[in-house]
Amino acid sequence: MASVRTGLRGGRAELDQELRPVGRAASTRVPDLANWSLFVLDLVYVLGVIALFVTVGLLGKAVEKL
C-alpha cells in the first residue's frame, strides 16, 4: 500500500485495487456465516414446500378411497 493517490481521478480505483486480495489468500477465504444461513433457510423452505405437496397428495388419496 505504498502508492500515492494524486488528484481526485483514479483515487478510488487505486484504493480498490490495493484492498483486493490476490493470490492464494483470496481462494482460501471462508464464506461468511450469513451466506450459509441464507442457503440453509432456502433449503428448509424448499423441503417444506415439497413436504406440504406430498401431504396434500396423500390426503387426497385417502379421501378418494373413502
Side-chain angles (χ1 to χ4, degrees):
M1 288 204 199
S3 69
V4 178
R5 293 179 10 182
T6 57
L8 295 176
R9 296 178 191 233
R12 174 83 177 167
E14 289 176 10
L15 184 61
D16 287 344
Q17 287 177 354
E18 290 174 359
L19 296 178
R20 196 172 299 137
V22 260
R24 188 173 174 92
S27 64
T28 59
R29 191 174 52 169
V30 178
D32 59 347
L33 187 59
N35 287 340
W36 280 108
S37 60
L38 287 176
F39 172 74
V40 170
L41 186 61
D42 288 344
L43 186 63
V44 167
Y45 280 145
V46 167
L47 292 177
V49 168
I50 291 172
L52 178 68
F53 279 112
V54 168
T55 305
V56 168
L58 290 175
L59 186 65
K61 276 189 171 185
V63 167
E64 190 177 287
K65 286 185 179 183
L66 288 177

